[in-house]
Amino acid sequence: HQRIELDNYYLLHLSPCKTSPITFDEETTLLSEKVAQMMEWTSKRSVIRMNGDKFRRFVRAPPRNYSVIIMFTALQPQRQCGVCRQADEEFQALANSWRYSSAFTNKVFFASVDFDEGSDVFQMLNMNSAPTFLHFPSKGKPRKADTYELQVRGFAAEQLARWVADRTDVQIRIIRPPNYAGPLLLGFLLAGIGGLAYLRRNNLEFLFNKNVWAFSALCFVLIMTSGQMWNHIRGPPYAHKNPSTGQISYIHGSSQAQFVAETHIVLLFNAAITMGMVMLCEAASSDLEIGKRKIMCVAGIALMMVFFSWLLSVFRAKYHGYPYSFLMS
């Protein structure tokens, strides 16, 4: 989340006028007009852009028989909200998947309110951070579960779709445009390996070098055990900035979630511990001078002790109440 400093903006509250209650036919007509207008906007853009007037008329004011999923954001460059742009891309993917689905109906609409276009809406809802996702149900007021837990779930379209299904019973299958970056990168990698093998076709001993294969396998294991696959599936934010204090957290406080920066830290710690173990093994089995072997042994022990202690402190920070520590709490 990024904190948004509200401008000196005050809403004008008009005195309510005494009017006679609308009839059932008038209510039905008004509802039909609202649904037709929402459908027209959705036909042009999957995510309807709303300001204060549109929000009060089509979301807050009755009658309404449709749910609205709204992303409150701050996309203007002067707001410097990088995570807002990332979340907006995922929200667009979610809305497009619903708009162009064969199951599309007027039961659910997707909309966005930008702070610079609807600061009065932010004030109305006492909201001072972005991005934030809210569900406005077709009946009644939003409950606690209608606020999306961004810090726990991340803003991946798949996670948003599961939340929408929980709140509206509408199942959305996320369809993304084809991404050829992965296949192209794999093709270049295979071409590079093939070219290297061809150039050294008379000397392919490097393919049987156990150190090369061991290093490759070790890199793969470190990447997987640090949580990179979880990041790919959940799409969490890189870090979290406290909107009240401005402090940046790189370690998530819950054992059920993590930040991208956290996986990088864990990867570094695991790599350092592994390096220490390798140095101990080399010190015990290599043919180096005794002095160099002693240095390798001491350095290996130091690496393992320090980085294992830091790794354990991260574990304690996420699993509250864990009683054990080493060197540091």
Side-chain angles (χ1 to χ4, degrees):
H1 279 37
Q2 174 167 324
R3 184 177 180 84
I4 300 175
E5 299 297 337
L6 295 176
D7 300 326
N8 294 327
Y9 183 93
Y10 297 92
L11 299 178
L12 296 177
H13 297 280
L14 301 178
S15 300
C17 301
K18 293 184 178 180
T19 57
S20 58
I22 62 174
T23 65
F24 176 77
D25 291 338
E26 292 174 335
E27 181 177 348
T28 303
T29 302
L30 178 59
L31 178 60
S32 299
E33 292 176 352
K34 292 173 69 173
V35 172
Q37 182 64 76
M38 294 288 283
M39 289 292 289
E40 180 182 351
W41 284 333
T42 303
S43 66
K44 298 177 181 178
R45 295 185 53 153
S46 299
V47 177
I48 303 171
R49 295 182 61 176
M50 286 192 171
N51 53 23
D53 293 336
K54 288 183 179 179
F55 177 81
R56 284 185 286 272
R57 179 183 177 188
F58 292 92
V59 179
R60 298 282 285 188
R64 180 164 51 84
N65 62 354
Y66 51 84
S67 296
V68 185
I69 309 295
I70 299 183
M71 178 181 68
F72 295 88
T73 186
L75 294 174
Q76 297 301 318
Q78 66 268 21
R79 300 298 173 187
Q80 298 181 352
C81 183
V83 69
C84 291
R85 298 192 178 279
Q86 300 176 35
D88 181 67
E89 293 177 359
E90 294 298 309
F91 193 65
Q92 293 286 345
L94 172 66
N96 288 331
S97 299
W98 170 239
R99 169 64 183 84
Y100 298 104
S101 168
S102 58
F104 172 73
T105 63
N106 57 14
K107 184 177 180 180
V108 177
F109 295 100
F110 292 88
S112 67
V113 176
D114 192 280
F115 175 74
D116 291 282
E117 297 177 0
S119 58
D120 52 339
V121 181
F122 278 75
Q123 286 187 335
M124 183 190 309
L125 301 176
N126 295 321
M127 192 177 301
N128 63 353
S129 62
T132 299
F133 300 93
L134 291 182
H135 166 239
F136 292 86
S138 56
K139 296 181 180 179
K141 296 181 179 180
R143 301 179 180 179
K144 182 178 180 181
D146 290 313
T147 300
Y148 181 73
E149 297 177 338
L150 181 65
Q151 298 302 322
V152 176
R153 297 188 175 190
F155 48 74
E158 289 76 10
Q159 288 298 109
L160 289 168
R162 295 189 185 98
W163 172 66
V164 171
D166 291 338
R167 306 313 305 158
T168 66
D169 293 328
V170 171
Q171 303 292 332
I172 302 177
R173 179 174 174 267
I174 302 300
I175 301 176
R176 298 179 182 273
N179 185 0
Y180 300 105
L184 285 175
L185 183 60
L186 179 60
F188 283 125
L189 178 61
L190 294 177
I193 295 175
L196 182 61
Y198 176 77
L199 293 174
R200 300 191 59 179
R201 58 186 180 278
N202 297 325
N203 183 12
L204 298 178
E205 293 182 0
F206 71 96
L207 293 177
F208 302 96
N209 189 321
K210 63 178 183 180
N211 291 331
V212 173
W213 289 104
F215 180 77
S216 301
L218 183 60
C219 290
F220 179 78
V221 170
L222 289 174
I223 291 173
M224 291 296 105
T225 55
S226 66
Q228 299 297 332
M229 187 57 68
W230 195 94
N231 291 342
H232 180 73
I233 296 173
R234 296 293 186 92
Y238 186 82
H240 171 62
K241 185 176 182 180
N242 191 310
S244 300
T245 63
Q247 182 180 2
I248 299 177
S249 300
Y250 298 101
I251 305 294
H252 200 286
S254 171
S255 60
Q256 303 298 318
Q258 66 183 17
F259 298 131
V260 175
E262 182 178 331
T263 62
H264 296 165
I265 294 172
V266 172
L267 174 62
L268 175 63
F269 288 176
N270 284 331
I273 294 171
T274 304
M275 179 62 68
M277 296 179 64
V278 171
M279 292 178 70
L280 285 175
C281 293
E282 287 295 317
S285 60
S286 67
D287 298 330
L288 296 174
E289 299 177 1
I290 188 66
K292 294 181 179 180
R293 293 169 65 181
K294 288 182 179 180
I295 294 175
M296 290 178 62
C297 183
V298 173
I301 293 175
L303 280 173
M304 292 184 61
M305 291 177 61
V306 172
F307 283 95
F308 179 77
S309 178
W310 281 340
L311 187 64
L312 192 59
S313 66
V314 172
F315 186 84
R316 283 169 55 87
K318 296 181 69 67
Y319 291 83
H320 305 286
Y322 187 76
Y324 304 108
S325 61
F326 182 64
L327 293 185
M328 60 188 74
S329 59

